[in-house]
């Protein structure tokens, strides 16, 4: 069970209150119409799936309902840090 | 290979069962193989078996980093069914189902395949409609599936609460009567034994740490224990670790690895002679021959490789089971575990060529890999032997994530997704 610090509420809460929304820092193509099938497919479906550090987008669904980012180890499940949308991580996955 | 039979059992009892032949050899790998299969789980071993049997390719090695059948092959809830929605999936899972039906005879190994039926319960009008649609689709595909109403369901499964008093009353169910379950370990062991008898080298405790690739073509793999092993073709069948191997080969897969949990209770007297799944209250259960209730949960929503998940998921699943079977509320749970499933965005597997020549991937089975074991092996063997996919496997190419021809099975894949 993950014990997660919400950077908006500034509190530790149980994982049950949160929902993981997948990989963080995915930029939507600025001009989707100009994308090739290859590029659009990669944007929609291809995700980093590391065994190790991973940047994720989470939402405090049963709390403040705000989104934030998390850097987490997918092997040990250790949470390295949480940071707000728009901020950059200080611990960077390779 | 020593043939197993009732007479053999009697004969060996005379010598106190001390002279049974070893089930498979434990060879040191050769430097060069025609085909190397990475991953010694059910799918990998089935692939090796069908390569040797149907395609006459016996210079094959299966590399397994742990022991045979020690990953998801021994972590699943052993359900076998073929009632998927789309024609592509129906063909794939039905192909597998038909292989299951003759598997114990073919392998001369009791895989304890029991066609005890599998019910999908419906708790809402929308559930009823989608299951009726599924039944209609299956009928057109020539696959057995039928609807039963709540009254009939109560007769068929007396221990389930089909009354109107339930929090989410059951309105009916679809049932595939040819579905059922099998003994998970026996499937891996049976395939391993049969493949070994045909000359396949099963190499355990052999971890692949890199791929030998030159000019966009794979020539072998680098292992931790035995150095470089050369191969003309390489097939990866490593479930949750597919992404890690793809990274070694320098490409990404549309796959995310999640922990999927299951649990078993203490053994109790016979109480459920079929498989029950509920997409709505979110749980599924069967009873093993040993008597324990085998209960499956959903995946944890985040990427994880730790073979364990969160407690909240189990709690949620147990709520669902007690909701459907109130009489189980005081049954104690014995063990709980997690396996790493590689889920695709459309809940269908990938059996495909890759950007690297002569390297093939069979992955993305997500939460439904067990039922696919013989079919997956059979089709992947074809792909490895011919260098191009079998017609049934063709729609499951990795290309579909670029062309958009997805095979969306989130509905039929059921509870776990």
């Amino acid at each position: 069970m993950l014990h997660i610090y919400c950077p908006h509420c500034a509190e530790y809460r149980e994982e049950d209150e949160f929902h993981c929304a997948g990989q963080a820092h995915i930029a939507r193509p600025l001009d989707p119409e100009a994308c090739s099938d290859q590029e659009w497919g990669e944007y929609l479906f291809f995700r980093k799936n590391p065994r190790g550090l991973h940047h994720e987008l989470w939402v405090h669904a049963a709390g403040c309902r705000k989104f934030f980012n998390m850097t987490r180890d997918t092997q040990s499940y250790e949470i390295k840090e949480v940071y707000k949308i728009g901020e950059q991580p200080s611990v960077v996955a390779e | 290979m020593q043939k197993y039979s009732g007479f053999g059992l009697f004969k060996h009892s005379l010598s106190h069962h001390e002279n049974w032949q070893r089930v498979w050899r434990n060879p040191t790998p050769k430097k060069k193989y025609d085909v190397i299969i990475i991953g010694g789980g059910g799918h990998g071993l089935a692939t090796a078996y069908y390569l040797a049997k149907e395609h006459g390719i016996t210079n094959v090695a299966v590399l397994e980093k742990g022991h045979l059948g020690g990953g998801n092959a021994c972590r699943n809830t052993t359900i076998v069914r073929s009632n998927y929605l789309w024609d592509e999936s129906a063909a794939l899972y039905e192909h597998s189902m038909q292989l299951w039906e003759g598997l114990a005879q073919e392998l001369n190994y009791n895989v304890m395949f029991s066609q005890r039926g599998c019910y999908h319960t419906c708790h809402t009008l929308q559930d009823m409609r989608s299951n009726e649609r599924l039944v209609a689709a299956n009928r057109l595909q020539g696959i057995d599936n039928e609807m039963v109403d709540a009254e009939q369901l109560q007769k068929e499964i007396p221990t389930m609460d089909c009354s109107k008093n339930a929090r989410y009353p059951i309105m009916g169910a679809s049932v595939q009567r040819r579905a059922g379950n099998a003994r998970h370990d026996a499937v891996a062991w049976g395939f391993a034994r049969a493949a070994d008898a045909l000359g396949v080298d099963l190499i355990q405790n052999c971890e692949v740490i890199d791929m030998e690739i030159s000019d966009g073509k794979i020539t072998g793999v680098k292992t931790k224990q035995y150095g470089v092993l050369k191969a003309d073709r390489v097939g990866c069948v490593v479930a949750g670790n597919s992404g890690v191997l793809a990274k070694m080969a320098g490409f990404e897969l549309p796959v995310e690895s999640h922990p999927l949990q299951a649990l078993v209770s203490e053994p109790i007297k016979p109480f459920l002679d079929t498989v029950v799944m509920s997409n709505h209250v979110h749980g599924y259960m069967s009873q093993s021959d040993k008597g324990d209730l085998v209960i499956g949960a959903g995946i944890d929503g985040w990427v994880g490789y730790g073979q364990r998940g969160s407690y909240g998921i189990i709690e949620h699943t147990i709520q669902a089971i007690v909701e459907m079977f109130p009489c189980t509320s005081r049954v104690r749970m014995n063990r709980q575990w997690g396996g790493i499933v590689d889920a695709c965005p459309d809940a269908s597997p990938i059996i495909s060529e890759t950007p690297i020549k002569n390297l093939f991937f069979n992955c993305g089975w997500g939460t439904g890999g067990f039922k696919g074991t013989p079919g997956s092996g059979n089709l992947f063997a074809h792909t490895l032997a011919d260098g191009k996919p079998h017609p049934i496997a063709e729609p499951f190419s990795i290309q579909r994530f670029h062309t958009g021809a997805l095979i969306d099975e989130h509905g039929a894949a059921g509870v776990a997704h």
Side-chain angles (χ1 to χ4, degrees):
Chain A
M1 193 76 153
L2 306 175
H3 200 46
I4 299 169
Y5 183 82
C6 173
H8 303 292
C9 302
E11 267 184 48
Y12 279 96
R13 306 305 286 264
E14 292 296 322
E15 182 193 335
D16 282 351
E17 292 189 12
F18 298 86
H19 178 77
C20 180
Q23 187 184 325
H25 306 297
I26 298 174
R28 184 182 162 88
L30 290 173
D31 184 5
E33 296 296 329
C35 284
S36 65
D37 286 354
Q38 185 86 12
E39 286 162 347
W40 188 246
E42 311 246 313
Y43 161 67
L44 280 183
F45 301 121
F46 286 72
R47 295 289 177 265
K48 288 198 164 48
N49 189 26
R51 185 164 64 188
L53 287 188
H54 191 32
H55 301 297
E56 292 168 331
L57 185 64
W58 284 72
V59 56
H60 195 176
C64 63
R65 295 166 65 192
K66 287 179 186 158
F67 283 83
F68 61 93
N69 294 321
M70 181 191 293
T71 307
R72 194 174 59 88
D73 189 314
T74 62
Q75 179 84 53
S76 69
Y77 298 170
E78 186 194 350
I79 297 167
K80 297 286 183 189
E81 67 169 335
V82 292
Y83 52 101
K84 289 180 186 169
I85 300 293
E87 293 176 0
Q88 288 302 311
S90 62
V91 188
V92 183
E94 54 171 303
Chain B
M1 182 174 79
Q2 193 172 29
K3 195 167 160 51
Y4 293 157
S5 63
F7 176 71
L9 197 62
F10 172 72
K11 195 180 79 181
H12 280 278
S13 73
L14 299 176
S15 56
H16 306 283
H17 295 293
E18 283 171 358
N19 299 316
W20 286 101
Q21 194 183 40
R22 280 197 175 275
V23 181
W24 52 76
R25 297 165 294 132
N26 215 356
T28 325
K30 293 183 262 185
K31 283 287 156 213
K32 166 95 175 59
Y33 286 97
D34 292 347
V35 177
I36 283 182
I37 296 161
I38 307 173
H43 289 227
L45 294 165
T47 306
Y49 168 70
Y50 288 114
L51 258 180
K53 185 186 160 243
E54 294 194 351
H55 304 278
I57 302 172
T58 56
N59 188 22
V60 176
V62 177
L63 309 183
E64 166 56 47
K65 75 171 174 179
H67 60 271
L68 297 180
N72 288 353
C74 72
R75 289 167 180 273
N76 59 80
T77 46
T78 75
I79 297 163
V80 177
R81 59 185 176 89
S82 63
N83 50 352
Y84 278 67
L85 179 64
W86 301 108
D87 289 349
E88 294 87 348
S89 333
L92 175 68
Y93 292 105
E94 182 58 22
H95 179 65
S96 193
M97 177 65 97
Q98 288 176 9
L99 290 169
W100 273 111
E101 286 174 331
L103 198 61
Q105 289 297 327
E106 180 173 347
L107 298 178
N108 179 229
Y109 203 96
N110 186 5
V111 296
M112 294 167 72
F113 180 48
S114 157
Q115 292 178 297
R116 56 182 67 185
C118 177
Y119 294 80
H120 283 74
T121 58
C122 310
H123 304 253
T124 63
L125 198 55
Q126 180 55 40
D127 264 359
M128 286 297 283
R129 285 175 183 152
S130 58
N131 271 271
E132 277 159 6
R133 179 189 179 204
L134 185 64
V135 166
N138 286 158
R139 291 269 178 101
L140 289 172
Q141 290 149 351
I143 295 169
D144 75 304
N145 203 356
E146 59 188 277
M147 293 300 293
V148 290
D149 60 17
E151 205 180 319
Q152 177 65 18
L153 190 61
Q154 185 70 83
K155 281 188 197 133
E156 293 183 14
I157 312 176
T159 47
M160 188 154 75
D161 180 9
C162 300
S163 72
K164 297 231 175 340
N165 303 327
R167 173 73 181 82
Y168 302 99
I170 293 169
M171 300 174 74
S174 67
V175 50
Q176 185 181 24
R177 303 206 185 269
R178 281 162 69 233
N181 53 16
R183 169 86 202 278
H184 49 105
D185 287 329
V187 179
W189 296 339
F191 273 120
R193 172 171 169 268
D196 177 82
L198 292 169
V200 172
D201 282 356
L202 308 176
I203 318 290
Q204 305 186 65
N205 297 314
C206 175
E207 185 177 353
V208 171
I209 49 172
D210 207 359
M211 308 232 180
E212 301 282 307
I213 296 168
S214 55
D215 301 330
K217 194 172 147 186
I218 193 155
T219 58
V221 296
K222 193 171 175 189
T223 66
K224 206 182 207 171
Q225 288 80 2
Y226 301 102
V228 173
L229 304 177
K230 295 271 170 207
D232 294 337
R233 284 182 180 147
V234 176
C236 288
V237 206
V238 295
N241 282 307
S242 297
V244 178
L245 281 178
K247 201 174 163 197
M248 286 179 199
F251 59 92
E252 279 188 348
L253 290 171
V255 158
E256 283 193 319
S257 298
H258 298 277
L260 174 65
Q261 299 180 89
L263 57 165
V264 294
S265 73
E266 59 190 350
I268 57 175
K269 285 190 174 177
F271 128 99
L272 181 65
D273 62 357
T274 185
V275 182
V276 177
M277 319 183 87
S278 168
N279 285 1
H280 192 78
V281 299
H282 226 95
Y284 49 103
M285 177 162 76
S286 62
Q287 187 172 21
S288 76
D289 293 357
K290 213 164 49 177
D292 28 13
L293 303 179
V294 183
I295 298 168
I299 57 170
D300 284 75
W302 30 267
V303 172
Y305 286 84
Q307 295 194 321
R308 62 188 192 280
S310 285
Y311 180 74
I313 302 280
I314 299 172
E315 191 180 17
H316 180 64
T317 300
I318 292 300
Q319 281 168 357
I321 297 300
V322 173
E323 161 70 28
M324 286 195 289
F325 295 91
C327 58
T328 61
S329 64
R330 293 182 190 185
V331 174
R332 282 166 296 198
M333 291 298 140
N334 245 356
R335 288 179 294 124
Q336 165 274 334
W337 65 89
I340 304 306
V341 298
D342 42 338
C344 280
D346 61 354
S348 285
I350 294 170
I351 308 173
S352 180
E353 296 154 286
T354 66
I356 309 293
K357 205 168 166 339
N358 291 340
L359 175 65
F360 302 87
F361 265 71
N362 181 358
C363 63
W365 285 84
T367 61
F370 182 74
K371 68 178 77 67
T373 304
S376 152
N378 189 280
L379 299 174
F380 197 46
H382 193 283
T383 304
L384 282 167
D386 280 12
K388 59 179 195 307
H390 187 281
I392 296 179
E394 226 162 342
F396 295 92
S397 161
I398 200 168
Q399 283 304 321
R400 71 179 190 268
F401 298 99
H402 291 133
T403 61
L406 304 185
I407 306 161
D408 183 2
E409 287 290 358
H410 279 102
V415 179
H417 272 274

